[in-house]
Amino acid sequence: MNVNQEQKKQRHPDRRKLWGRAKGKRLSPHQTSLMENLLPQLRALPSPLENFEPNQRVTLEIGFGGGEHLLHLARRFPDEGFIGAEPFLNGVAKTLNGISNDGLKNIRIHHGDVSMVLQALPDACLERIYILYPDPWPKPRHYKRRLIQEEFIAELFRVLKPNAELRFASDIVSYVDWALARILRHGGFLWRANSAADWLTPYKNWPSTRYEAKAFREGRTPHYFTFIKGKLPSEIKRDK
Ligand SMILES: C[S@@+](CC[C@H](N)C(=O)[O-])C[C@H]1O[C@@H](n2cnc3c(N)ncnc32)[C@H](O)[C@@H]1O
């Protein structure tokens, strides 16, 4: 399938509507070649875990943008597996360029909506999920476009292993409030923050991302959250 067919496939009516930018400026011939030749070898679908060892630790990054953080993780943990989902064509092409330059073998990519990847994952298979600077959709009439919604959180919970981590970062206060309220209301995630220093301190070995750099340039404060997958209240009652 070529790049245009790939784009059309994303508008197929049985997929959830994607709201962000699908593509930016024209790809270079090298990037087009990576999309046509390298991407098919790295596809995360239909079986996201197929190319990883049964006991390998696997992390999912949702909306990896230009791939800065995904590439950083894959270089740092060569024995672990990484799945990235991103609908923005130019971000995928940029990331493929990084994968190719560094000869990385531990990344699988889905060019499109992460929901497709989540649906294809079995229960309790991921070590960690990152959602870094998701599109904030700040106008109330656009809140329904936000990635973090109740059903989505339930899917994240399903695919995480017990005690695995969900990491979410954002510089938009209304989205931080929105996400925190929904993640905590779910009831299965533990948030162990004691003070503001906890969510104002970047993650260990944090490489930053393009959108974080934009937040700093525009004077906004990044917030970093880590939630641990615990038990659902119904499971706790059953255990008593
Ligand atoms: C504001 S950008 C942040 C990119 C990157 N994480 C960073 O920090 O630089 C949000 C990204 O989420 C992606 N995105 C939006 N909806 C998505 C979805 N349903 N599945 C996967 N990625 C999505 C967008 O295409 C965009 O690249």
Side-chain angles (χ1 to χ4, degrees):
M1 198 183 305
N2 67 30
V3 173
N4 286 335
Q5 286 167 325
E6 181 80 25
Q7 288 291 301
K8 281 197 190 125
K9 199 173 137 215
Q10 283 200 28
R11 290 194 289 266
H12 193 279
D14 66 4
R15 314 274 154 107
R16 201 180 67 154
K17 183 150 175 49
L18 282 169
W19 292 103
R21 258 197 325 167
K23 56 183 167 182
K25 63 178 191 213
R26 205 187 178 81
L27 298 189
S28 69
H30 178 58
Q31 288 176 318
T32 303
S33 156
L34 290 170
M35 289 297 295
E36 293 186 354
N37 301 308
L38 181 58
L39 181 60
Q41 300 171 38
L42 303 182
R43 277 195 203 292
L45 290 178
S47 310
L49 303 178
E50 193 176 61
N51 292 289
F52 302 123
E53 298 298 324
N55 291 326
Q56 202 170 358
R57 290 163 62 91
V58 179
T59 290
L60 170 67
E61 183 166 338
I62 299 175
F64 57 75
E68 300 84 8
H69 181 259
L70 185 64
L71 293 167
H72 164 84
L73 287 181
R75 287 186 203 111
R76 192 159 166 250
F77 302 106
D79 298 334
E80 300 191 13
F82 297 91
I83 303 170
E86 173 55 65
F88 183 51
L89 172 70
N90 303 65
V92 173
K94 185 165 181 255
T95 306
L96 291 175
N97 196 43
I99 293 174
S100 162
N101 287 345
D102 291 4
L104 294 169
K105 302 282 179 234
N106 55 343
I107 301 185
R108 290 292 169 274
I109 299 283
H110 174 57
H111 174 205
D113 182 0
V114 69
S115 305
M116 310 288 297
V117 177
L118 292 171
Q119 278 167 29
L121 285 169
D123 293 356
C125 64
L126 298 181
E127 221 64 53
R128 194 171 275 170
I129 296 178
Y130 285 94
I131 308 177
L132 304 174
Y133 298 93
D135 295 319
W137 298 111
K139 294 183 184 149
R141 72 172 190 277
H142 290 152
Y143 282 175
K144 59 180 177 299
R145 299 182 180 185
R146 288 176 166 177
L147 195 60
I148 298 190
Q149 306 282 349
E150 271 84 0
E151 278 179 19
F152 187 74
I153 296 166
E155 263 302 83
L156 303 183
F157 185 82
R158 181 185 70 76
V159 298
L160 283 168
K161 289 183 178 172
N163 300 314
E165 286 182 356
L166 167 62
R167 290 190 172 184
F168 158 72
S170 177
D171 56 319
I172 304 297
V173 174
S174 82
Y175 201 176
V176 164
D177 290 345
W178 167 281
L180 258 182
R182 280 156 186 78
I183 294 171
L184 297 178
R185 201 187 301 148
H186 172 271
F189 286 100
L190 311 172
W191 182 39
R192 299 204 168 118
N194 294 318
S195 67
D198 190 281
W199 62 84
L200 296 176
T201 308
Y203 306 117
K204 226 170 147 194
N205 297 307
W206 171 244
S208 195
T209 69
R210 214 153 63 88
Y211 271 83
E212 178 166 276
K214 186 168 180 259
F216 281 129
R217 275 197 313 275
E218 295 174 4
R220 289 186 299 274
T221 305
H223 296 64
Y224 311 88
F225 299 94
T226 301
F227 304 94
I228 308 290
K229 177 175 171 170
K231 288 188 176 182
L232 283 169
S234 57
E235 294 172 313
I236 296 171
K237 265 190 220 139
R238 225 183 301 133
D239 290 350
K240 276 187 183 161

